[in-house]
Amino acid sequence: MTGDNNKEAPAVRLRCDGAVDEGTLAYARVKIDAVVGRPGLPAVTGEVRIVRSAAHADLPWSATADLNAAGRPLVVHAEEATGRELVDQLQNRLRRQIDRAAHAWDDGHRTTAPPWRGGAQRSA
């Protein structure tokens, strides 16, 4: 998903601006992969950008996720005082948005109706 050791391009890119430490990036990779890599979800692609700004004293950390799940665009924004709080808030917001997209995706991808409801019968 967001790993750097993949031979192919990751489905969700993780980028950073400013003085973002490696610990925060590693934590973000794990949390984002946990959300977008869950089984049963449609393919999720896009980019997550984490920014640490020295100009904003009260909330120096911000993140923007611009993703596409099952053809549905998702934009998530978060601001926090620390990197870990930012990643946790971003994960919660991403999970909610991706769950909504997955629910909408499921509406069009249901299994066939059982025979007693007019669906095709399966041969054993």
Side-chain angles (χ1 to χ4, degrees), residues 65-110:
D66 187 8
L67 304 176
N68 187 335
R72 184 177 180 157
L74 306 173
V75 178
V76 178
H77 183 73
E79 291 181 335
E80 282 298 329
T82 68
R84 280 204 180 263
E85 290 174 355
L86 174 78
V87 172
D88 290 339
Q89 185 182 52
L90 182 68
Q91 181 191 26
N92 290 337
R93 290 180 179 183
L94 276 174
R95 184 179 314 259
R96 282 194 303 267
Q97 291 293 326
I98 289 175
D99 285 348
R100 286 183 192 157
H103 181 70
W105 180 73
D106 282 344
D107 287 343
H109 293 84
R110 294 187 186 265

Side-chain angles (χ1 to χ4, degrees), residues 7-49:
K7 300 228 185 255
E8 57 190 52
V12 178
R13 290 190 61 194
L14 180 62
R15 299 180 67 191
C16 65
D17 289 332
V20 179
D21 58 297
E22 283 298 319
T24 301
L25 286 177
Y27 186 67
R29 280 186 190 99
V30 169
K31 293 294 191 168
I32 293 167
D33 284 346
V35 173
V36 300
R38 293 181 301 165
L41 288 180
V44 179
T45 59
E47 178 179 277
V48 176
R49 177 172 282 191

